[in-house]
Amino acid sequence: DGLPSANADSGASWSLPNPIDNGISINSVSCASSSFCVAVDSAGNAVTWNGASWSLPNPIDNGISINSVSCASSSFCVAVDYYGSAFTWNGASWSGPASVDPGLSLASVSCASAGFCVAVDYYGNAVILNGAYWSSPAKIDNGAVLTSVSCVSSSFCVAVDSGGNELTWNGNSWSSVASVNAGLAITSVSCASSSFCAAVDAAGNSIIWSGASWSFRNPIDNGTNLASVSCASSSFCVAVDHYGNAVIWNGASWSLPRSVDPGASLTSVSCASSSFCVAVDSKGNGLRTNAV
């Protein structure tokens, strides 16, 4: 039934919060594997995980808030910022800024490969990286703030908004806006395949995409604002909230919320597999999980 269950916890063991970014609020993290992650912050820095330790913060955006990062591999990531610029990691260094959505704040980016990424902004626009070039901004969602996007391939992405709606990319065009969460703001979406996505909202609920339809809204976190969700597969997702809690999906149900970062606001989570996730918080900390 998808309701929280004490038995749903998959045995994830979280590390203690580790200061990795000098106390600066970290906005987003993306892990391509257990030996490569990138986190970006509100002061224009990127920090990189190499499997053993985090790098020092690397200033890549002149103090501008970097809102989102997505890594398709250890040699390709894209980060997007508050002013519509994109930065690209090639495995050794960052290039950019490239103005891909001039003057408009990009909320989220997702890269299925080095040849395909989608970024969405707070004004209902999407931009697509297809090979070496970004498309012009295209209005896909009139009147709503796009909050998150997740792409599993160049022919399947899901974008969600602040009005409880979703749109699907089929490789050629975006679907019409569909109401899937009864008007409640969806804060994050993560797709493991074209037949499985999980989305979370600002009121502690999740909804699941089965490949044919979205589930009814399911309360998983006691009304708490869920900030981010990441799915490594249809049987493993982690969602985190603004009060330091994590909940885990095991393919059938969500665990009870577990306090993993007391007193901090978790802002983003990324799971490279069911045995490796990283979460980051508003105090510049990172924490890892190894699940069994």
Side-chain angles (χ1 to χ4, degrees):
D1 58 8
L3 294 174
S5 163
N7 295 322
D9 197 302
S10 67
S13 176
W14 292 87
S15 70
L16 293 174
N18 177 29
I20 64 174
D21 196 15
N22 299 326
I24 298 170
S25 181
I26 304 174
N27 292 330
S28 179
V29 63
S30 180
C31 296
S33 70
S34 60
S35 59
F36 186 81
C37 304
V38 171
V40 293
D41 71 19
S42 59
N45 302 302
V47 289
T48 304
W49 168 258
N50 65 7
S53 61
W54 290 92
S55 70
L56 294 173
N58 179 14
I60 66 172
D61 196 12
N62 297 319
I64 296 169
S65 180
I66 305 174
N67 292 336
S68 181
V69 64
S70 179
C71 296
S73 69
S74 60
S75 59
F76 186 82
C77 304
V78 169
V80 295
D81 77 7
Y82 187 80
Y83 290 112
S85 296
F87 300 80
T88 303
W89 169 259
N90 65 6
S93 61
W94 290 92
S95 63
S99 182
V100 301
D101 193 12
L104 299 183
S105 185
L106 287 162
S108 178
V109 63
S110 181
C111 296
S113 67
F116 186 83
C117 303
V118 172
V120 295
D121 70 21
Y122 291 117
Y123 301 90
N125 301 300
V127 289
I128 296 175
L129 176 65
N130 198 340
Y133 302 100
W134 288 91
S135 70
S136 298
K139 180 75 75 175
I140 66 171
D141 191 0
N142 288 316
V145 173
L146 288 165
T147 55
S148 182
V149 63
S150 181
C151 297
V152 296
S153 70
S154 60
S155 60
F156 186 82
C157 304
V158 170
V160 294
D161 73 17
S162 61
N165 305 304
E166 70 89 21
L167 302 97
T168 303
W169 170 259
N170 66 6
N172 295 299
S173 61
W174 291 93
S175 67
S176 300
V177 175
S179 177
V180 298
N181 200 40
L184 279 179
I186 304 173
T187 53
S188 180
V189 63
S190 179
C191 297
S193 69
S194 60
S195 59
F196 183 85
C197 304
V200 294
D201 71 18
N205 303 299
S206 80
I207 53 174
I208 302 291
W209 169 254
S210 65
S213 62
W214 288 90
S215 68
F216 291 110
R217 193 166 62 229
N218 179 18
I220 65 171
D221 194 16
N222 303 320
T224 303
N225 188 341
L226 287 159
S228 179
V229 63
S230 180
C231 297
S233 69
S234 62
S235 59
F236 187 84
C237 305
V238 172
V240 296
D241 71 21
H242 286 295
Y243 291 90
N245 301 304
V247 287
I248 296 174
W249 170 259
N250 68 2
S253 58
W254 290 92
S255 70
L256 294 172
R258 174 188 289 184
S259 179
V260 298
D261 194 6
S265 174
L266 288 165
T267 54
S268 182
V269 64
S270 180
C271 296
S273 68
S274 61
S275 61
F276 186 83
C277 302
V278 169
V280 292
D281 71 19
S282 60
K283 296 183 177 181
N285 298 306
L287 51 161
R288 306 187 309 279
T289 182
N290 290 287
V292 293

